[in-house]
Amino acid sequence: MSDLYAVADFCLIPIGTGNTSVAEEVAECQRVLAQSGLTYKMHGYGTNIEGPWSKVSQAIHDCHAAVHAKGSQRIATDIRIGTRIDRQISTGEGNVGKVARVEEILAKDS
Amino acid sequence: MSDLYAVADFCLIPIGTGNTSVAEEVAECQRVLAQSGLTYKMHGYGTNIEGPWSKVSQAIHDCHAAVHAKGSQRIATDIRIGTRIDRQISTGEGNVGKVARVEEILAKDS
Amino acid sequence: MSDLYAVADFCLIPIGTGNTSVAEEVAECQRVLAQSGLTYKMHGYGTNIEGPWSKVSQAIHDCHAAVHAKGSQRIATDIRIGTRIDRQISTGEGNVGKVARVEEILAKDS
Amino acid sequence: MSDLYAVADFCLIPIGTGNTSVAEEVAECQRVLAQSGLTYKMHGYGTNIEGPWSKVSQAIHDCHAAVHAKGSQRIATDIRIGTRIDRQISTGEGNVGKVARVEEILAKDS
């Protein structure tokens, strides 16, 4: 089947590292994403990412592979992923577009 | 990179259908999964699924495609996905194995 | 505001334990839930739970507190939680009801 | 038990509205959060929020109640929520602190 355009967000957690900080592992993911060619943006509890479904999935897989290579024996990730066919999303503008539309509505409140 | 074995769970939600029931869409996903060759099991708030990462991702993508084909214009899914390199998981036994180990521990309580 | 009835599912992950197994922590959660009076059921990647929103939230909080007390310094949990006002859910029957409706649909396929 | 400090993120989805846009509902949540007294910040696929567990949970509950009051008959939310006892988190600085630590690490790369 065709590759749907996916607007997503993920939060990766290494398990069994003996270290309560996960910053090194999250930084490693950012390095992987920088190589992916996809649009992404880290926030306080995850990273927004979007692109063709197969590429988004591959990028998150490669984050797991890279974090395993750094020594984490087990990893759990939560992914939120959305697709739509009612309209075309301009590449890389799915997540920022969603925020913009909410802010437009809120701007009318005052 | 190699294809990590993924033990996962997902919950798909159609948006904008005008129907508060999502049972038809979840049923359509079960039909897609039945064709996937992967091990899966529905529960009250999602479906356990496991296999090579790329195949798990493709199966969930194909659920989106099938639910779109049934008329849902927008879909949002939450995926929990885990990988580990400390030991080999026998194909199809990741999720049941996790439950079994917890039940063994609890069995010693009484 | 009133306390909405919540049909939920959660997956708790201890961080920094130095142990790739999370079975002891999940077992501890099951003990906490057994004391909560709520309907719950473990599956391969989480636990279904339902009841008044405040009680579901308190039960998951108390799982965190109990797992911290067992030594985990940091914990991350993913919660899926749903509410509805289109119809009344019989106490404890939200998650099983959802599975039953999907199975009814699939039963007509053959 | 005591009320753990929770660093969280949530993504609320209305079901059965007959509208593929969820911007009005997300905007309504932002209005509820503005009244909550908690630190929060919207991003492309959810909203960071933190504070005492009970207050974070109540705020998300009240988002559900407000979105129901606007007409959504069913709502599903995904929550990521974390607690830690290895160190004190300054109120409202959990999520920004996490981003800052990752950025410090990445800054050393170049």
Side-chain angles (χ1 to χ4, degrees), chain A residues 21-40:
Chain A
S21 172
V22 302
E24 288 288 355
E25 289 82 2
V26 175
E28 184 66 10
C29 290
Q30 303 299 306
R31 290 182 196 113
V32 170
L33 299 181
Q35 302 296 324
S36 72
L38 300 175
T39 299
Y40 66 98

Side-chain angles (χ1 to χ4, degrees), chain B residues 44-110:
Chain B
Y45 215 125
T47 298
N48 286 188
I49 185 168
E50 63 184 279
W53 181 295
S54 63
K55 290 197 192 310
V56 168
S57 169
Q58 186 69 45
I60 300 173
H61 171 275
D62 292 350
C63 288
H64 275 237
V67 172
H68 280 316
K70 283 271 195 176
S72 296
Q73 299 294 300
R74 188 175 182 186
I75 302 168
T77 289
D78 180 58
I79 304 171
R80 297 172 185 154
I81 189 163
T83 60
R84 62 194 307 169
I85 58 171
D86 59 332
R87 60 183 182 73
Q88 187 76 23
I89 297 166
S90 303
T91 300
E93 295 182 16
N95 276 313
V96 294
K98 290 193 286 176
V99 171
R101 281 186 293 282
V102 174
E103 288 179 340
E104 273 171 36
I105 293 167
L106 292 173
K108 291 176 200 153
D109 283 359
S110 46

